Amino acid sequence: ASEALATGGIGWVRHSVRRLTAIMVASSALLSLVAVIAAPTAFDWWLSGQVSPSLILLCGLALWNVAQAAVAPVFMVQNAAGKLGPQTIGYAILAATIPVKLLAVASLSSEWLPTLNVVLYVAIIWPAAIVGYRRSTRQLGATMISGGDHR
């Protein structure tokens, strides 16, 4: 991505981000589904039946993988363009939600924590990822039009 950004290949970047996002979401969803299905048997074998994993916990962890995979390609573009502000702010806000998570664990149970993380991640990080991606590609487009050095 950084080479394409450096040479003005904005069309290639956008196409690759869409393609990579679809591949990453599909592969992480498939592998996460396999993990959710296989986990009870694996835990039973590994721990001699002493621990039975919660389906709520396993599904929450699976969704968390998919949620992160969905924005990984746009973060790659931001990193290549050096536009880290939106994601830094997003992660700072996400870190500030720790008290909310502690309250949720106290009132629900810890098995719901990954699902709550997914909800907060999608509500906070996804918009930050989109803003940063748009700024990165907009900067590249403006640089290409002006003919200036975009670095």
Side-chain angles (χ1 to χ4, degrees):
S2 60
E3 184 177 328
L5 288 170
T7 59
I10 194 167
W12 181 88
V13 170
R14 287 182 176 149
H15 172 75
S16 295
V17 165
R18 283 190 301 270
R19 195 179 90 210
L20 190 55
T21 299
I23 290 169
M24 290 183 72
V25 167
S27 61
S28 67
L30 178 63
L31 292 172
S32 294
L33 179 62
V34 169
V36 168
I37 292 168
T41 303
F43 273 83
D44 188 49
W45 172 79
W46 180 36
L47 301 172
S48 303
Q50 295 178 0
V51 175
S52 179
S54 160
L55 188 59
I56 293 169
L57 176 66
L58 294 173
C59 288
L61 290 170
L63 288 172
W64 197 359
N65 275 339
V66 175
Q68 290 177 328
V71 291
V74 297
F75 280 148
M76 289 179 212
V77 172
Q78 291 174 62
N79 291 338
K83 294 287 183 193
L84 304 179
Q87 65 181 314
T88 302
I89 292 168
Y91 279 110
I93 294 168
L94 188 63
T97 65
I98 291 173
V100 172
K101 296 173 188 179
L102 293 173
L103 289 172
V105 166
S107 63
L108 297 170
S109 71
S110 59
E111 69 183 351
W112 286 97
L113 187 56
T115 304
L116 177 59
N117 278 334
V118 169
V119 170
L120 293 170
Y121 193 84
V122 168
I124 297 167
I125 299 300
W126 281 16
I130 292 166
V131 167
Y133 174 73
R134 287 184 179 160
R135 284 185 184 173
S136 299
T137 56
R138 190 178 320 126
Q139 173 192 344
L140 175 61
T143 302
M144 288 171 54
I145 291 169
S146 69
D149 186 7
H150 64 278
R151 289 177 235 186

